[in-house]
Coordinates of all heavy atoms in Angstrom, one line a residue:
K1377 N 104.5 -36.0 -9.4 CA 104.8 -35.6 -10.8 C 104.5 -34.2 -11.1 O 105.3 -33.5 -11.8 CB 103.9 -36.5 -11.9 CG 104.2 -36.2 -13.2 CD 103.6 -37.1 -14.2 CE 103.8 -36.8 -15.7 NZ 104.3 -35.6 -16.0
S1378 N 103.4 -33.6 -10.6 CA 103.1 -32.3 -10.7 C 104.2 -31.4 -9.9 O 104.6 -30.3 -10.5 CB 101.8 -31.9 -10.0 OG 100.8 -32.6 -10.8
L1379 N 104.7 -31.9 -8.9 CA 105.7 -31.2 -8.1 C 107.0 -31.1 -8.9 O 107.6 -30.1 -9.0 CB 105.9 -31.8 -6.8 CG 106.7 -31.1 -5.7 CD1 106.0 -29.7 -5.3 CD2 106.7 -31.8 -4.4
Q1380 N 107.3 -32.3 -9.5 CA 108.5 -32.3 -10.4 C 108.3 -31.4 -11.6 O 109.4 -30.6 -11.9 CB 108.9 -33.7 -10.8 CG 109.1 -34.6 -9.7 CD 110.3 -34.3 -8.8 OE1 111.3 -33.7 -9.3 NE2 110.3 -34.4 -7.6
D1381 N 107.3 -31.3 -12.1 CA 107.0 -30.4 -13.3 C 107.2 -29.0 -12.8 O 107.7 -28.1 -13.6 CB 105.6 -30.7 -13.9 CG 105.5 -32.1 -14.6 OD1 106.6 -32.6 -14.9 OD2 104.5 -32.5 -15.0
L1382 N 106.6 -28.6 -11.7 CA 106.6 -27.3 -11.2 C 108.2 -26.9 -10.8 O 108.5 -25.8 -11.2 CB 105.9 -27.2 -9.9 CG 104.4 -26.8 -10.0 CD1 103.8 -27.0 -8.6 CD2 104.2 -25.4 -10.6
R1383 N 108.9 -27.8 -10.3 CA 110.2 -27.5 -10.1 C 111.2 -27.2 -11.3 O 112.1 -26.6 -11.2 CB 110.9 -28.6 -9.2 CG 110.4 -28.5 -7.8 CD 111.1 -29.6 -6.9 NE 110.5 -29.5 -5.5 CZ 110.4 -30.5 -4.8 NH1 110.7 -31.7 -5.1 NH2 109.8 -30.3 -3.5
N1384 N 110.6 -27.8 -12.4 CA 111.5 -27.7 -13.7 C 110.9 -26.6 -14.5 O 111.5 -26.3 -15.6 CB 111.4 -29.0 -14.5 CG 112.1 -30.0 -13.8 OD1 113.1 -29.9 -13.0 ND2 111.7 -31.3 -14.1
S1385 N 109.9 -25.9 -14.1 CA 109.3 -24.8 -14.8 C 109.8 -23.4 -14.3 O 110.5 -23.4 -13.3 CB 107.7 -24.8 -14.7 OG 107.4 -24.4 -13.4
S1386 N 109.6 -22.4 -15.0 CA 109.9 -21.1 -14.6 C 108.6 -20.3 -14.5 O 108.6 -19.1 -14.7 CB 110.8 -20.5 -15.8 OG 110.0 -20.3 -17.0
H1387 N 107.6 -20.9 -13.8 CA 106.4 -20.2 -13.6 C 106.5 -19.1 -12.5 O 107.4 -19.3 -11.6 CB 105.4 -21.2 -13.1 CG 104.0 -20.8 -13.1 ND1 103.4 -20.1 -12.3 CD2 103.1 -21.0 -14.2 CE1 102.1 -19.8 -12.5 NE2 101.8 -20.3 -13.7
L1388 N 105.7 -18.0 -12.7 CA 105.9 -17.0 -11.8 C 105.5 -17.3 -10.4 O 106.2 -16.9 -9.4 CB 105.0 -15.8 -12.3 CG 105.0 -14.4 -11.5 CD1 106.3 -13.9 -11.4 CD2 103.9 -13.5 -12.1
F1389 N 104.4 -18.1 -10.1 CA 104.0 -18.5 -8.9 C 104.4 -19.8 -8.5 O 103.8 -20.6 -7.7 CB 102.4 -18.4 -8.8 CG 102.0 -17.0 -9.1 CD1 101.3 -16.7 -10.2 CD2 102.1 -16.1 -8.1 CE1 100.8 -15.4 -10.4 CE2 101.7 -14.7 -8.3 CZ 101.0 -14.4 -9.5
K1390 N 105.6 -20.2 -9.0 CA 106.2 -21.6 -8.7 C 106.3 -21.9 -7.3 O 105.8 -23.1 -6.8 CB 107.6 -21.6 -9.4 CG 108.3 -22.8 -9.1 CD 109.6 -22.7 -9.9 CE 110.7 -23.6 -9.3 NZ 111.8 -23.4 -10.0
Q1391 N 106.8 -21.0 -6.5 CA 106.9 -21.3 -5.1 C 105.6 -21.6 -4.3 O 105.4 -22.4 -3.4 CB 107.8 -20.3 -4.3 CG 108.1 -20.5 -3.0 CD 109.0 -19.4 -2.3 OE1 108.9 -18.2 -2.8 NE2 109.8 -19.7 -1.4
I1392 N 104.6 -20.8 -4.6 CA 103.3 -20.9 -4.0 C 102.6 -22.1 -4.4 O 102.0 -22.9 -3.6 CB 102.4 -19.7 -4.3 CG1 103.0 -18.4 -3.8 CG2 101.0 -19.9 -3.9 CD1 102.3 -17.1 -4.3
F1393 N 102.7 -22.4 -5.7 CA 102.1 -23.8 -6.1 C 102.8 -25.0 -5.5 O 102.2 -26.0 -5.3 CB 102.1 -23.8 -7.7 CG 101.2 -22.9 -8.4 CD1 101.4 -22.4 -9.6 CD2 100.0 -22.7 -7.8 CE1 100.6 -21.4 -10.2 CE2 99.1 -21.7 -8.4 CZ 99.4 -21.2 -9.6
E1394 N 104.2 -25.0 -5.3 CA 104.9 -26.0 -4.7 C 104.3 -26.2 -3.3 O 104.3 -27.3 -2.8 CB 106.4 -25.7 -4.8 CG 107.1 -25.9 -6.1 CD 108.5 -25.7 -5.9 OE1 109.1 -25.4 -4.8 OE2 109.1 -25.6 -7.1
Q1395 N 104.2 -25.1 -2.7 CA 103.6 -25.1 -1.2 C 102.3 -25.8 -1.2 O 102.0 -26.6 -0.4 CB 103.6 -23.8 -0.5 CG 104.9 -23.2 -0.2 CD 104.9 -21.9 0.4 OE1 103.9 -21.3 0.3 NE2 105.9 -21.4 0.9
I1396 N 101.4 -25.4 -2.1 CA 100.0 -26.1 -2.2 C 100.1 -27.5 -2.5 O 99.5 -28.3 -1.7 CB 99.2 -25.3 -3.2 CG1 98.9 -23.9 -2.8 CG2 97.9 -26.0 -3.5 CD1 98.2 -23.0 -3.8
V1397 N 100.9 -28.0 -3.5 CA 101.0 -29.3 -3.8 C 101.6 -30.1 -2.6 O 101.1 -31.2 -2.3 CB 102.0 -29.6 -5.1 CG1 102.2 -31.1 -5.3 CG2 101.1 -29.0 -6.2
Q1398 N 102.6 -29.6 -1.9 CA 103.3 -30.2 -0.7 C 102.2 -30.3 0.4 O 102.1 -31.4 1.0 CB 104.5 -29.5 -0.3 CG 105.3 -30.2 0.7 CD 105.9 -31.5 0.2 OE1 106.4 -31.5 -0.9 NE2 105.6 -32.6 0.8
F1399 N 101.3 -29.3 0.6 CA 100.3 -29.5 1.6 C 99.3 -30.5 1.3 O 99.0 -31.3 2.1 CB 99.5 -28.1 1.7 CG 98.4 -28.1 2.7 CD1 98.7 -28.0 4.0 CD2 97.1 -28.2 2.2 CE1 97.5 -28.0 4.9 CE2 96.0 -28.3 3.0 CZ 96.3 -28.2 4.4
I1400 N 98.9 -30.6 0.0 CA 98.1 -31.7 -0.5 C 98.6 -33.0 -0.2 O 97.9 -34.0 0.3 CB 97.5 -31.5 -1.9 CG1 96.7 -30.2 -2.0 CG2 96.8 -32.7 -2.4 CD1 96.3 -29.9 -3.4
M1401 N 99.9 -33.2 -0.6 CA 100.5 -34.5 -0.3 C 100.7 -34.9 1.1 O 100.5 -36.0 1.4 CB 102.0 -34.4 -0.9 CG 102.1 -34.4 -2.4 SD 103.7 -34.3 -3.1 CE 104.3 -35.9 -2.7
N1402 N 100.9 -33.8 2.0 CA 100.8 -34.2 3.4 C 99.5 -34.6 3.9 O 99.3 -35.6 4.6 CB 101.3 -32.9 4.1 CG 102.8 -32.6 4.0 OD1 103.5 -33.5 3.6 ND2 103.1 -31.3 4.3
C1403 N 98.4 -34.1 3.4 CA 97.1 -34.4 3.7 C 96.8 -35.9 3.3 O 96.1 -36.6 3.9 CB 96.0 -33.5 3.1 SG 96.0 -31.8 3.9
I1404 N 97.2 -36.2 2.0 CA 96.9 -37.5 1.4 C 97.7 -38.5 2.3 O 97.2 -39.6 2.6 CB 97.5 -37.5 -0.1 CG1 96.5 -36.6 -0.9 CG2 97.3 -38.9 -0.5 CD1 97.1 -36.4 -2.4
T1405 N 99.0 -38.2 2.7 CA 99.8 -39.1 3.5 C 99.1 -39.4 4.8 O 99.1 -40.5 5.3 CB 101.2 -38.5 3.7 OG1 101.8 -38.3 2.4 CG2 102.0 -39.5 4.4
Q1406 N 98.6 -38.4 5.5 CA 97.9 -38.5 6.8 C 96.6 -39.4 6.5 O 96.4 -40.3 7.4 CB 97.5 -37.2 7.3 CG 98.6 -36.3 7.8 CD 98.1 -34.9 8.2 OE1 97.0 -34.6 8.0 NE2 99.1 -34.2 8.7
D1407 N 95.9 -39.1 5.5 CA 94.7 -39.9 5.2 C 95.0 -41.4 4.9 O 94.4 -42.4 5.4 CB 93.8 -39.3 4.1 CG 93.2 -38.1 4.5 OD1 93.1 -37.8 5.7 OD2 92.6 -37.3 3.6
L1408 N 96.1 -41.6 4.2 CA 96.5 -42.9 3.8 C 97.1 -43.8 5.1 O 96.7 -44.9 5.3 CB 97.7 -42.9 2.8 CG 98.3 -44.3 2.3 CD1 97.3 -45.1 1.7 CD2 99.4 -44.0 1.5
T1409 N 97.8 -43.0 6.0 CA 98.2 -43.5 7.3 C 97.0 -44.1 8.1 O 96.9 -45.1 8.6 CB 99.0 -42.6 8.0 OG1 100.1 -42.2 7.3 CG2 99.6 -43.2 9.3
R1410 N 95.9 -43.2 8.1 CA 94.7 -43.5 8.8 C 94.0 -44.7 8.3 O 93.5 -45.5 9.0 CB 93.8 -42.3 8.8 CG 92.5 -42.5 9.6 CD 91.5 -41.3 9.4 NE 91.3 -40.9 8.0 CZ 90.6 -41.4 7.1 NH1 89.9 -42.6 7.5 NH2 90.5 -41.1 5.9
V1411 N 93.9 -44.7 6.9 CA 93.2 -45.8 6.4 C 94.0 -47.1 6.6 O 93.5 -48.2 6.9 CB 93.1 -45.5 4.8 CG1 92.7 -46.9 4.0 CG2 92.0 -44.4 4.6
N1412 N 95.2 -47.1 6.4 CA 96.1 -48.4 6.7 C 96.0 -48.9 8.1 O 96.0 -50.0 8.4 CB 97.6 -48.1 6.3 CG 97.8 -48.0 4.8 OD1 97.0 -48.6 4.0 ND2 98.8 -47.4 4.3
R1413 N 96.0 -47.9 9.1 CA 95.8 -48.2 10.4 C 94.5 -49.0 10.7 O 94.3 -50.0 11.3 CB 96.0 -47.0 11.3 CG 95.9 -47.4 12.8 CD 96.0 -46.2 13.7 NE 97.3 -45.4 13.4 CZ 97.4 -44.2 13.1 NH1 96.3 -43.5 13.0 NH2 98.5 -43.5 12.8
E1414 N 93.4 -48.3 10.1 CA 92.0 -48.9 10.2 C 92.0 -50.3 9.5 O 91.3 -51.2 10.1 CB 91.0 -47.9 9.6 CG 89.6 -48.4 9.8 CD 89.1 -48.2 11.2 OE1 89.7 -47.3 11.9 OE2 88.2 -48.9 11.6
L1415 N 92.7 -50.5 8.4 CA 92.6 -51.8 7.7 C 93.3 -52.9 8.6 O 93.0 -54.0 8.8 CB 93.3 -51.7 6.4 CG 92.5 -51.0 5.2 CD1 93.3 -50.7 4.0 CD2 91.2 -51.8 5.0
R1416 N 94.4 -52.4 9.3 CA 95.2 -53.3 10.1 C 94.4 -53.7 11.4 O 94.4 -54.8 11.8 CB 96.5 -52.6 10.6 CG 97.6 -53.6 11.1 CD 98.9 -52.9 11.4 NE 99.1 -51.7 10.7 CZ 99.2 -50.5 11.3 NH1 99.0 -50.3 12.6 NH2 99.5 -49.5 10.6
Q1417 N 93.6 -52.8 11.8 CA 92.8 -53.0 13.0 C 91.7 -54.0 12.7 O 91.3 -54.7 13.5 CB 92.1 -51.8 13.6 CG 93.1 -50.9 14.4 CD 92.6 -49.6 14.8 OE1 91.4 -49.3 14.5 NE2 93.3 -48.9 15.7
R1418 N 91.1 -54.0 11.5 CA 90.1 -54.8 11.0 C 90.6 -56.1 10.4 O 89.8 -56.8 9.9 CB 89.2 -54.1 10.0 CG 88.5 -52.8 10.6 CD 87.7 -52.2 9.7 NE 87.1 -50.9 10.1 CZ 85.9 -50.7 10.1 NH1 85.1 -51.5 9.4 NH2 85.3 -49.6 10.5
N1419 N 91.9 -56.3 10.5 CA 92.5 -57.4 9.9 C 92.2 -57.7 8.5 O 91.8 -58.8 8.0 CB 92.1 -58.6 10.8 CG 93.0 -59.8 10.6 OD1 94.2 -59.7 10.1 ND2 92.6 -61.0 10.9
I1420 N 92.5 -56.6 7.6 CA 92.2 -56.7 6.2 C 93.5 -56.5 5.7 O 94.3 -55.5 5.8 CB 91.2 -55.6 5.7 CG1 89.9 -55.9 6.4 CG2 91.1 -55.8 4.3 CD1 88.9 -54.9 6.1
K1421 N 93.9 -57.4 4.7 CA 95.2 -57.2 3.9 C 94.9 -57.1 2.4 O 94.0 -57.7 1.9 CB 96.1 -58.4 4.1 CG 96.6 -58.4 5.5 CD 97.5 -59.7 5.7 CE 98.2 -59.7 6.9 NZ 97.8 -59.8 8.1
I1422 N 95.6 -56.1 1.8 CA 95.4 -55.9 0.3 C 96.6 -56.2 -0.4 O 97.8 -56.0 0.0 CB 95.0 -54.4 0.1 CG1 93.8 -54.0 0.9 CG2 94.8 -54.2 -1.4 CD1 93.7 -52.5 0.8
Y1423 N 96.3 -57.0 -1.6 CA 97.5 -57.3 -2.4 C 97.3 -56.9 -3.8 O 96.2 -57.0 -4.3 CB 97.7 -58.9 -2.5 CG 97.8 -59.5 -1.1 CD1 96.7 -60.1 -0.4 CD2 99.0 -59.5 -0.4 CE1 96.9 -60.6 0.9 CE2 99.2 -60.0 0.8 CZ 98.1 -60.6 1.4 OH 98.3 -61.1 2.7
S1424 N 98.2 -56.4 -4.5 CA 98.1 -55.9 -5.8 C 97.9 -57.1 -6.8 O 98.5 -58.0 -6.7 CB 99.4 -55.1 -6.1 OG 99.3 -54.7 -7.5
D1425 N 97.1 -56.9 -7.7 CA 96.7 -58.1 -8.5 C 97.1 -57.7 -10.0 O 98.2 -57.9 -10.5 CB 95.3 -58.4 -8.5 CG 95.0 -59.8 -8.9 OD1 96.0 -60.5 -9.2 OD2 93.8 -60.2 -8.7
E1426 N 96.1 -57.2 -10.8 CA 96.3 -57.0 -12.1 C 95.4 -55.9 -12.7 O 94.5 -55.5 -12.0 CB 96.1 -58.3 -13.0 CG 94.6 -58.7 -12.8 CD 94.2 -60.0 -13.4 OE1 95.3 -60.8 -13.6 OE2 93.2 -60.3 -13.9
M1427 N 95.6 -55.5 -13.9 CA 94.8 -54.4 -14.6 C 94.5 -55.1 -15.9 O 95.4 -55.4 -16.7 CB 95.6 -53.3 -14.7 CG 94.7 -52.1 -15.3 SD 95.6 -50.6 -15.0 CE 95.4 -49.9 -16.5

Side-chain angles (χ1 to χ4, degrees):
K1377 184 177 180 334
S1378 294
L1379 194 60
Q1380 295 304 320
D1381 291 345
L1382 274 172
R1383 288 184 178 151
N1384 293 331
S1385 73
S1386 60
H1387 198 274
L1388 180 63
F1389 298 109
K1390 172 179 160 177
Q1391 188 177 23
I1392 295 170
F1393 289 147
E1394 283 181 8
Q1395 289 176 348
I1396 290 172
V1397 171
Q1398 192 62 50
F1399 176 81
I1400 291 174
M1401 287 177 75
N1402 291 341
C1403 291
I1404 293 170
T1405 303
Q1406 289 172 355
D1407 289 344
L1408 181 60
T1409 303
R1410 179 188 50 79
V1411 166
N1412 285 336
R1413 184 179 306 122
E1414 187 71 26
L1415 287 170
R1416 196 175 338 110
Q1417 286 176 349
R1418 294 174 186 236
N1419 199 19
I1420 300 172
K1421 292 185 171 60
I1422 302 172
Y1423 305 100
S1424 182
D1425 201 1
E1426 63 185 26
M1427 183 170 137

